[in-house]
Amino acid sequence: MSFVAELERHLGVSLITDPDITSTYSRDQAPFASYSPAAAVLLARTTEEISKALAFCSERKIPVVTRGAGSGLSGGANADSKSLVISLEKMNQIIEIDSANQLARVQAGVINLDLDTAVKEFGMAYLPDPASRDWSTLGGNVATNAGGMCCVKYGVTSHHVRALKVVLSSGEVIEVGKATKKFVTTLDLMHLFIGSEGTLGLICEATIQLARAPLESSVMVLGVENFAEIVDVLTCFSRDLDLSAFEFFSQQALDKVVSHRGHTVPFKTETAFYALLEFEHSSPGILDKAMALFEHCVDLGWVVDGVISQSQSQAKNLWKLREDISETLWQWQPYKNDISVRISRMADFLEDVDQLVMEQYPDFEVIWYGHIGDGNLHLNILKPEAFSVDQFHSKCVNVSEEIGQLLAKYEGSVSAEHGVGLLKKDYLHYSRSAVEMDMMRSIKRAFDPNYIMNPGKLFD
């Protein structure tokens, strides 16, 4: 593209233009989301460099896509041949760890797990834990408001962000939020950027709230025949235990993980569903209390069988039964739905979706798992061998449309934690009203009048 040489002169740095390389920077992990190799990639190293690049692009109306690690699952970081991709992988410094206030100030390219590892020596932890935490960046986590398996206790990313440094499309650098715990001064601009998926500005630094490091914990896996009873088990355990996680997966999911990853089944009894819960050893007698709750659930017929970890290594092995599901399923080219409904309505919703798929799409295998403790379901539809990728995708689009209608009926969300990006934007109206959509477009115009920041994402 003609702008590349001029931008290189303007910045005084070389851009990546080799299509074989730019292609790898031009998409995230979402299957079925369109992209083209970007015109160029800037490996940004400073906020000032980003500011100059955005001012240049805004003046010339050049589309800009921000990239962290590309771990997203909605096409939110996908580019086209007219775009400049700004990668933040080189902006990976932990600027400050403030142990007195349990805060860390980081550049956007810092890896989630790296921050958690760095603060452990201070007796602290960074607790939001998306499945990609080993390689996803904190800037990307903030931009998508990433969730994870321990949100039932620790919340999503937005609960841990105190302040942001953002470069607007004009090149202006602003700071929103405050490191102070209390900060009530009219409109909260910071939270406009959290979850905005790079459409309002480029997040280059974040001040993060840390917490004390978790205590030693135990993990239980419980076999349950009916999904509705998983909700009963959750209600029972969460009333008396401070749960740090409550996950679920189906027998089909367990079969695939055991077969393809070589894991050991938790117990010999097979059940339709499994609940995995974790709790810290926060008080004497906590294990006795957990066992009493387990026996109570068995007596009521909610739980068929179960196991509790006897060591930290066994706890890790039990967690792998849940953690390894997503990666295992990739070989079937799954069509993923990341959805949420109120916990009290999950059983009816899941039954309606199963009925829908069974009646209209009998060739599809459906795999359920998710973060049931916070109402987040992952519905994975696996591609049958007889279907081409295009045939499968066109069928799944119809499935998503009908699932969207069900979500509207149940007052749920078409995206719980993966974001909207390209893949979910056609279904956003099932979770957002026309008035809300118009307000969001107005906010977009206010922050990005030339419409260069990740155009085509969220809404047109």
Side-chain angles (χ1 to χ4, degrees):
M1 292 289 289
S2 59
F3 74 82
V4 174
E6 188 180 355
L7 179 56
E8 287 181 326
R9 289 194 297 272
H10 180 69
L11 296 176
V13 299
S14 297
L15 304 179
I16 298 171
T17 57
D18 182 339
D20 289 337
I21 301 176
T22 61
S23 180
T24 65
Y25 283 91
S26 299
R27 61 166 301 178
D28 61 17
Q29 299 298 303
F32 313 116
S34 62
Y35 77 100
S36 301
V41 176
L42 168 63
L43 301 181
R45 296 178 183 274
T46 66
T47 299
E48 292 72 26
E49 197 171 69
I50 293 170
S51 173
K52 290 176 69 175
L54 287 182
F56 176 95
C57 291
S58 184
E59 184 179 333
R60 293 158 181 78
K61 297 187 177 179
I62 299 165
V64 176
V65 177
T66 309
R67 180 184 173 85
S71 62
L73 292 168
S74 66
N78 287 19
D80 62 29
S81 60
K82 297 178 181 178
S83 302
L84 171 70
V85 170
I86 298 180
S87 169
L88 299 172
E89 65 186 83
K90 301 297 184 182
M91 295 182 64
N92 58 2
Q93 299 302 305
I94 298 174
I95 300 167
E96 177 188 12
I97 296 174
D98 179 354
S99 57
N101 292 293
Q102 293 189 317
L103 295 173
R105 188 158 67 96
V106 301
Q107 291 184 312
V110 171
I111 302 299
N112 183 307
L113 183 61
D114 289 349
L115 174 62
D116 187 50
T117 301
V119 301
K120 271 185 168 56
E121 65 177 281
F122 298 92
M124 297 183 294
Y126 179 61
L127 298 168
D129 61 338
S132 59
R133 73 175 313 204
D134 289 7
W135 59 294
S136 64
T137 63
L138 289 168
N141 292 170
V142 174
T144 58
N145 198 15
M149 297 189 192
C150 292
C151 290
V152 64
K153 181 172 184 176
Y154 302 119
V156 296
T157 301
S158 60
H159 296 105
H160 301 264
V161 180
R162 288 282 191 85
L164 298 173
K165 181 180 283 188
V166 180
V167 185
L168 301 179
S169 64
S170 63
E172 183 178 0
V173 180
I174 64 169
E175 297 195 26
V176 289
K178 290 289 181 186
T180 57
K181 184 166 287 189
K182 292 184 175 180
F183 176 54
V184 182
T185 53
T186 70
L187 300 181
D188 184 354
L189 297 177
M190 182 185 75
H191 279 86
L192 285 176
F193 291 98
I194 299 174
S196 65
E197 300 186 35
T199 61
L200 301 183
L202 193 154
I203 297 165
C204 55
E205 286 184 18
T207 300
I208 300 294
Q209 178 69 62
L210 305 170
R212 67 158 177 82
L215 304 173
E216 182 181 348
S217 59
S218 290
V219 175
M220 299 181 81
V221 175
L222 310 176
V224 180
E225 274 303 325
N226 300 303
F227 185 87
E229 289 164 348
I230 291 182
V231 178
D232 292 329
V233 173
L234 170 62
T235 303
C236 178
F237 271 84
S238 60
R239 197 162 39 218
D240 291 331
L241 292 181
D242 185 17
L243 299 177
S244 50
F246 194 99
E247 300 286 302
F248 95 105
F249 47 92
S250 65
Q251 180 67 51
Q252 295 98 312
L254 178 63
D255 288 342
K256 293 191 183 302
V257 166
V258 169
S259 173
H260 292 271
R261 311 290 284 192
H263 299 327
T264 303
V265 296
F267 38 79
K268 292 183 179 180
T269 309
E270 288 192 1
T271 55
F273 299 101
Y274 298 85
L276 181 151
L277 58 93
E278 181 181 67
F279 57 91
E280 295 182 38
H281 297 177
S282 55
S283 62
I286 196 77
L287 291 174
D288 291 339
K289 183 181 290 186
M291 289 306 300
L293 291 169
F294 165 72
E295 290 168 5
H296 177 69
C297 291
V298 171
D299 290 342
L300 290 174
W302 296 342
V303 172
V304 177
D305 204 345
V307 64
I308 186 168
S309 60
Q310 301 299 313
S311 66
Q312 290 304 294
S313 62
Q314 188 181 8
K316 289 180 180 179
N317 289 335
L318 290 174
W319 260 117
K320 286 182 181 297
L321 299 175
R322 166 62 184 89
E323 291 173 334
D324 288 353
I325 294 172
S326 183
E327 188 172 341
T328 297
L329 296 183
W330 277 115
Q331 61 192 292
W332 284 277
Q333 298 174 283
Y335 190 88
K336 291 177 171 287
N337 283 271
D338 158 52
I339 51 189
S340 63
V341 295
R342 278 182 286 172
I343 292 171
S344 59
R345 308 191 74 181
M346 291 178 80
D348 291 339
F349 174 76
L350 186 142
E351 184 177 343
D352 280 354
V353 173
D354 274 343
Q355 188 69 25
L356 167 71
V357 174
M358 209 173 359
E359 289 178 357
Q360 300 191 33
Y361 309 98
D363 296 320
F364 291 170
E365 183 179 6
V366 175
I367 304 292
W368 287 102
Y369 62 94
H371 318 299
I372 192 129
D374 55 23
N376 183 184
L377 299 164
H378 292 308
L379 165 63
N380 287 252
I381 304 174
L382 307 190
K383 186 181 79 66
E385 288 186 19
F387 280 66
S388 70
V389 171
D390 289 340
Q391 286 175 323
F392 177 59
H393 181 239
S394 64
K395 281 272 193 179
C396 288
V397 167
N398 295 331
V399 175
S400 291
E401 195 71 44
E402 298 187 62
I403 290 173
Q405 294 169 14
L406 280 176
L407 284 165
K409 169 186 169 183
Y410 281 91
E411 300 176 306
S413 175
V414 297
S415 177
E417 62 181 2
H418 292 170
V420 174
L422 289 172
L423 291 184
K424 303 289 180 66
K425 74 175 188 175
D426 290 341
Y427 314 113
L428 187 56
H429 66 281
Y430 290 120
S431 298
R432 295 286 200 159
S433 69
V435 173
E436 288 179 297
M437 297 284 284
D438 285 342
M439 291 176 70
M440 287 191 284
R441 290 187 180 96
S442 296
I443 292 169
K444 168 71 171 173
R445 285 193 294 271
F447 281 94
D448 182 23
N450 289 327
Y451 207 74
I452 69 163
M453 300 300 299
N454 212 7
K457 312 306 186 332
L458 309 189
F459 41 72
D460 293 318

